[in-house]
Amino acid sequence: MSRRVYIETYGCQMNEIDSSRMLSLLEAEDFLRASSIAEADLVLLNTCSIREKADQKVRSKLGELRRWKNAREGRIVAVGGCLAQQEGKRLAASAPHVDIVFGTHNISRLPDLLRNAGRVKNTVEVGLSGDTSHWDVLPYLAKGTSSAMVTIMQGCDNYCAYCIVPYVRGREISRGSSEILSEVRQIADRGVREVVLLGQNVNSYGRKEGEISFPMLIRRIARVPGIERVRFITSHPRDLDRETIGLFGELDNLCPHIHLPIQSGSDRILHAMGRGYTRAEYLRKVAALRKTRPGIAFSSDFIVGFPGETEEDFTETLAVMEDVRYDSSFSFRFSPRPSTLAATLPGTVPTEVSGDRLSRLQSLQVRHTREILEACVGREMEVLVEGKSSRDPGMLCGRTPCHKVVNFSPDRERNTPVRLVQVMSAGQHSLSGVEGVPLD
Ligand code: SAM
Ligand code: SF4
């Protein structure tokens, strides 16, 4: 009889795609997906350690799993991802009910580790060896998936002062372009219409390996039959070059949206973070993107309360948000992480101060998002359907080329992945509409 696996994924898209690969590996071992922990034989936590909060969430989940594990013989608990990589043996020692701890470079070992789980207790495999064999595993694709992520590189060489990624994901390694293209062709044949290229710093793709450049890679992917939309994440503002900016004017199927994390609007703080660009340089790139593709949408990440951040520095962050008017953004309170330079810096910002700055920044973003969404009302937009709407199962949900979420009442006669939707109203984070004129 097949066993069942329940995977809980924390953190970013890198973890999401790794979880899909784990699912593919486990399917080959005759595991089925469980829809809850209660019906699972194996619980796998794919963890995150980017901020302390993510780290605490996993630890409390592990506590809950102790009872689950002890309630029935043969149940298995496995922990993978960044916290597993960071904590390794310490994690296994603090949670003896965990059977397997495996790191970000040990994903391919999962089937073997599971086979041994009954015999060997508390196995730990967290070598940061640069192993990329998991790239050969096609991520699990549920039937009808219209948008899929494709890994183009792993790790990061930037060592931004606050960031733990280089320590838990290893040095930057780019994947071969022919391998990437072959995966894109395979998923396009299976009905995927949108690919999202994934890397921590996509603009430096292939430089170390002497591969084709990132713009060339995008051009080739954009020509794959069936691929109607191409996106990429994450672009580093320092490395975003003129040729890549030009692609937004060259390729119709490169979506008019870019995630361009600025982190702070203060040059002093950007320098202390080791980001390698100034606010003016960043804004010049934003202007060039807008000139190349009028209407392009922007999103960003911000950190408030970095060591030494003054009220003046923060005011510059607010000003940059006003200047760019992002469609959306993620903002975080600085969280000191082990091994990083910023964790040792003086000038800790008191929690009440960083909390207050965070809420001021987020309120400004709420206003901009609302205004940008309201301006969409009355317009017709192409929506790539991602599935049923969580609000109303009679409605569908999808995204516009600018990455806005749209819930809409479909035309029942139609069954194509891309629909033309008349936007009727705007909410805080999404749009609502009705399917209108047929597209073809
Ligand atoms: N590689 C991407 C980049 O450079 O923009 C992002 C990687 S990280 C997974 C996502 C975001 O988490 C970062 O852009 C940053 O805003 C935030 N982040 C990373 N480390 C952090 C820390 N120690 N405290 C608070 N936020 C952090
Ligand atoms: Fe972290 Fe900086 Fe690398 Fe992004 S570019 S993953 S923030 S070190």
Side-chain angles (χ1 to χ4, degrees), residues 57 77 82 98 112 212 225 281:
K57 260 197 221 164
V77 178
C82 297
V98 171
D112 275 346
I212 58 169
E281 282 161 356

Side-chain angles (χ1 to χ4, degrees), residues 13-58:
Q13 290 94 340
M14 308 290 161
N15 270 8
E16 279 175 37
I17 197 163
D18 281 347
S19 287
S20 311
R21 287 204 180 87
M22 291 173 201
L23 261 181
S24 283
L25 283 168
L26 292 170
E27 253 196 343
E29 296 290 306
D30 207 22
F31 272 91
L32 298 174
R33 260 184 114 158
S35 50
S36 68
I37 289 181
E39 65 183 45
D41 302 289
L42 161 66
V43 172
L44 204 164
L45 304 185
N46 191 7
T47 62
C48 171
S49 60
I50 196 85
R51 285 167 292 275
E52 205 180 344
K53 233 187 201 167
D55 182 320
Q56 284 161 353
K57 260 197 221 164
V58 172

Side-chain angles (χ1 to χ4, degrees), residues 48-356:
C48 171
S49 60
I50 196 85
R51 285 167 292 275
E52 205 180 344
K53 233 187 201 167
D55 182 320
Q56 284 161 353
K57 260 197 221 164
V58 172
R59 288 175 201 274
S60 95
K61 188 76 198 183
L62 274 180
E64 287 169 30
L65 283 173
R66 188 190 309 262
R67 278 182 62 190
W68 174 84
K69 159 97 182 167
N70 294 335
R72 204 177 72 208
E73 186 77 15
R75 282 180 164 171
I76 301 174
V77 178
V79 186
C82 297
L83 186 68
Q85 186 68 53
Q86 177 197 309
E87 291 293 300
K89 286 195 176 120
R90 276 196 301 269
L91 191 79
S94 67
H97 59 295
V98 171
D99 299 277
I100 301 163
V101 176
F102 64 108
T104 54
H105 288 203
N106 310 91
I107 295 172
S108 306
R109 293 272 302 127
L110 185 57
D112 275 346
L113 295 173
L114 280 168
R115 268 178 235 125
N116 290 334
R119 280 177 278 131
V120 190
K121 280 192 71 143
N122 224 218
T123 314
V124 180
E125 284 219 6
V126 289
L128 256 188
S129 55
D131 183 4
T132 55
S133 53
H134 51 278
W135 285 348
D136 299 338
V137 182
L138 193 67
Y140 176 86
L141 268 189
K143 215 171 149 240
T145 303
S146 60
S147 172
M149 296 181 281
V150 173
T151 306
I152 65 165
M153 56 216 292
Q154 74 177 22
C156 187
D157 285 348
N158 279 324
Y159 293 91
C160 298
Y162 50 80
C163 187
I164 199 171
V165 168
Y167 305 95
V168 290
R169 289 268 165 184
R171 302 304 301 255
E172 182 184 289
I173 309 172
S174 293
R175 191 180 182 192
S177 55
S178 50
E179 218 182 293
I180 298 172
L181 276 154
S182 141
E183 183 168 323
V184 173
R185 283 189 208 103
Q186 274 186 68
I187 60 179
D189 285 346
R190 290 171 64 175
V192 167
R193 293 290 157 258
E194 174 182 275
V195 288
V196 186
L197 308 178
L198 278 193
Q200 292 296 355
N201 185 11
V202 291
N203 302 105
S204 66
Y205 170 79
R207 283 188 196 159
K208 271 172 39 180
E209 291 77 7
E211 252 296 347
I212 58 169
S213 66
F214 180 60
M216 198 49 84
L217 178 71
I218 297 201
R219 287 192 187 98
R220 293 198 186 161
I221 289 173
R223 281 201 295 268
V224 171
I227 295 302
E228 295 178 34
R229 292 183 178 189
V230 181
R231 301 183 188 278
F232 53 81
I233 190 168
T234 297
S235 215
H236 192 297
R238 181 197 59 210
D239 295 330
L240 175 67
D241 57 12
R242 225 182 266 167
E243 191 181 353
T244 307
I245 294 176
L247 290 178
F248 285 94
E250 180 186 318
L251 303 170
D252 286 342
N253 58 354
L254 180 61
C255 287
H257 164 242
I258 185 164
H259 186 64
L260 199 57
I262 187 165
Q263 313 297 355
S264 167
S266 151
D267 285 345
R268 211 176 61 80
I269 297 295
L270 285 173
H271 181 73
M273 286 176 165
R275 291 289 286 176
Y277 53 85
T278 62
R279 177 169 76 160
E281 282 161 356
Y282 179 93
L283 290 175
R284 271 201 289 278
K285 292 191 181 179
V286 167
L289 283 158
R290 286 205 158 119
K291 196 165 166 218
T292 310
R293 190 77 167 263
I296 188 170
F298 288 89
S299 55
S300 191
D301 293 343
F302 291 89
I303 296 177
V304 300
F306 187 81
E309 185 190 70
T310 61
E311 183 58 25
E312 236 180 359
D313 294 315
F314 175 67
T315 309
E316 293 187 36
T317 299
L318 286 174
V320 103
M321 186 181 260
E322 278 288 6
D323 262 1
V324 180
R325 286 177 58 83
Y326 295 98
D327 291 63
S328 62
S329 65
F330 300 100
S331 39
F332 314 100
R333 229 195 273 234
F334 168 72
S335 169
R337 305 313 289 135
S339 315
T340 63
L341 174 68
T344 63
L345 293 178
T348 303
V349 176
T351 353
E352 344 44 283
V353 175
S354 58
D356 173 62

